[in-house]
Amino acid sequence: MTVTDIFKDFINDKGLRWTPQREIIMQVFSKSETHLTAEEIFNITIQQNSSIGIATVYRTMALLCEAGLAREGTNLYGKITFEPLYQRKQHDHLICTQCGIILEFEHPLIDKYRKDICLQHDFILQSHRMDLYGTCKDCTPTLPPNSPSS
Amino acid sequence: MTVTDIFKDFINDKGLRWTPQREIIMQVFSKSETHLTAEEIFNITIQQNSSIGIATVYRTMALLCEAGLAREGTNLYGKITFEPLYQRKQHDHLICTQCGIILEFEHPLIDKYRKDICLQHDFILQSHRMDLYGTCKDCTPTLPPNSPSS
DNA sequence: CTGTCTGCAAACTATTTGCATCCCT
DNA sequence: AGGGATGCAAATAGTTTGCAGACAG
C-alpha cells in the first residue's frame, strides 16, 4: 500500500478522476522530507510536465489535505506550506530563524503532558503544532579559540 | 511603568514620534486578551478615531513587535494575528477548530523538556509556539443521559 | 458521451508601499 | 522649520475562481 495507492483510493471513493497531474504533484510532494510551499511544488512539477498550472497544484494539495496525507502550515514569510503526513511519526520542529532549516524531534514526555493538559480542559485533541524558533548549530557564531573578549 | 510608557520609551529611543494614532492602537491592542487580526484592531480603533487608516495599524503593530510587546502569528484562516506579550507568562494554546476560541495553558515540565531538546541539538531557543487543535468543552456534543446507543 | 479536470487569466484578499500633506518635536 | 507620520489609493503577492476546451471513465 503506497501513498499513491491511498490517494488513488481516496480519489476513486469520492468519484473523482485520476489524472497525470495529480499523480505527478502527489509524487513530488510525497518524496519531500520538508515543508514545501505551493510554488516550490509547482517549480518541481513543471520539470516533469511543463504544462502544469499552479492552480492545479493548489487544488491537488487541498485534496491531499482532505485525504489526511498533507497538512497546511505557514512558513516564516507567511506563505502556505504543506507538510507530508504519510507514515511519519508525529513530531515537532526546531526552526532556525537565520537559515530557515527545519529540524524535527519528538519527545514522549512532552507528548504525554500535552495529552494530560487536554484531559484537564475537556479538550478533544485532534492535532497539534509545536515550533521552536531560534538559531541552529550551523548558524551559531562560534568564537575562535583564544579569541579576544572584546 | 505601564505598557504605554514602555512603548513611548521605545519610540523616543528610536527617534520616532509619539502620535495619537500610535497611542490609540497600542491601547486597543494591549487591552485585548486574545490574538487579534489587523482588521479587528482597525475596527476597534476607528470607533475612537474615525480617520485612522489600516496602513497605520500595520505600521504600528510592526513597531510593537519590534519593541517586543507583540508577536505575529497566523489564525485558522491564514490571516496575520497579533498576540500581546507584555507582562504575560509564556504560555501555549488550545485552539478550538469549531468555534475558534483560544484557551491558554502552561506546563512547567513541557517547558523543561523543550529546553532539553534544544540543548541536545545545540539549538539556541529564542521563542516557541505550541498550538493544540481540537474541540473545546463547549463544542463537544454531549450525549444526553440514557441516550440510545445507536 | 458525460461530467470532471486543466491551464489560463482574471478576480480576490490581505498586506505593503508611494506620495502629498500633516503635525510632532 | 524639518523630517517623520498619516491616510489614501495604488501596487504587490499569494491564493482562489470562472470558463472554454481537454480528457478520464
Side-chain angles (χ1 to χ4, degrees):
Chain A
M1 196 70 171
T2 66
V3 207
T4 309
D5 293 331
I6 295 175
F7 191 40
K8 210 182 264 185
D9 280 357
F10 174 82
I11 293 290
N12 284 331
D13 291 350
K14 288 206 79 177
L16 305 178
R17 289 170 187 171
W18 187 246
T19 65
Q21 288 90 335
R22 284 179 178 163
E23 181 157 22
I24 291 175
I25 291 166
M26 104 87 75
Q27 279 176 1
V28 164
F29 170 68
S30 63
K31 260 183 226 152
S32 157
E33 289 293 313
T34 45
H35 302 212
L36 295 178
T37 62
E39 201 186 356
E40 287 165 340
I41 296 169
F42 173 69
N43 287 334
I44 303 175
T45 55
I46 52 173
Q47 293 171 9
Q48 305 190 30
N49 180 334
S50 58
S51 74
I52 281 181
I54 194 152
T56 302
V57 173
Y58 279 106
R59 289 189 273 231
T60 303
M61 293 315 298
L63 287 171
L64 281 162
C65 290
E66 204 185 324
L69 296 168
R71 181 167 77 152
E72 265 195 36
T74 314
N75 69 8
L76 289 175
Y77 312 104
K79 293 189 194 172
I80 291 177
T81 58
F82 299 95
E83 174 182 14
L85 291 185
Y86 174 68
Q87 279 196 348
R88 309 205 67 217
K89 279 196 202 149
Q90 51 130 44
H91 58 265
D92 299 312
H93 304 118
L94 293 168
I95 301 177
C96 178
T97 52
Q98 304 292 308
C99 67
I101 197 177
I102 300 175
L103 307 169
E104 300 177 354
F105 70 90
E106 51 181 315
H107 195 300
L109 287 175
I110 289 180
D111 204 51
K112 172 189 183 319
Y113 294 125
R114 235 185 319 242
K115 286 172 184 149
D116 285 356
I117 290 284
C118 291
L119 279 176
Q120 284 169 30
H121 289 79
D122 292 319
F123 188 88
I124 301 173
L125 185 62
Q126 287 155 357
S127 65
H128 77 265
R129 184 186 304 277
M130 175 156 86
D131 298 329
L132 309 187
Y133 299 98
T135 312
C136 76
K137 203 175 181 171
D138 296 339
C139 294
T140 305
T142 42
L143 291 176
N146 299 321
S147 61
S149 59
S150 84
Chain B
M1 195 69 172
T2 67
V3 208
T4 308
D5 292 332
I6 294 175
F7 191 40
K8 211 182 261 184
D9 280 358
F10 173 82
I11 293 290
N12 284 333
D13 292 350
K14 288 205 78 177
L16 304 179
R17 289 168 188 173
W18 188 245
T19 65
Q21 288 91 336
R22 284 180 178 163
E23 180 157 22
I24 291 175
I25 292 167
M26 105 85 76
Q27 278 176 2
V28 165
F29 170 68
S30 63
K31 258 182 226 152
S32 158
E33 289 292 313
T34 45
H35 302 213
L36 295 178
T37 62
E39 201 186 355
E40 287 165 341
I41 296 168
F42 173 70
N43 287 334
I44 303 173
T45 54
I46 52 174
Q47 294 171 10
Q48 305 192 30
N49 179 335
S50 59
S51 73
I52 281 183
I54 194 151
T56 301
V57 173
Y58 279 107
R59 289 188 273 231
T60 303
M61 292 315 298
L63 287 171
L64 281 163
C65 289
E66 206 184 324
L69 295 169
R71 181 166 78 152
E72 269 196 19
T74 314
N75 70 7
L76 288 176
Y77 313 104
K79 292 190 195 171
I80 291 176
T81 59
F82 299 94
E83 173 183 15
L85 291 185
Y86 174 69
Q87 278 196 349
R88 309 206 65 217
K89 280 199 200 145
Q90 50 130 43
H91 58 264
D92 299 313
H93 303 117
L94 293 169
I95 301 176
C96 178
T97 52
Q98 304 292 309
C99 67
I101 197 178
I102 300 176
L103 307 169
E104 300 177 352
F105 70 90
E106 50 180 315
H107 195 301
L109 286 175
I110 289 180
D111 205 51
K112 172 190 183 320
Y113 294 125
R114 234 185 321 243
K115 285 171 184 150
D116 285 355
I117 290 284
C118 291
L119 278 175
Q120 283 168 31
H121 288 80
D122 292 319
F123 188 89
I124 300 173
L125 185 61
Q126 286 155 358
S127 65
H128 77 266
R129 184 185 304 276
M130 175 154 87
D131 298 329
L132 309 187
Y133 300 97
T135 312
C136 76
K137 204 175 181 169
D138 296 339
C139 293
T140 305
T142 44
L143 292 176
N146 300 321
S147 61
S149 61
S150 82

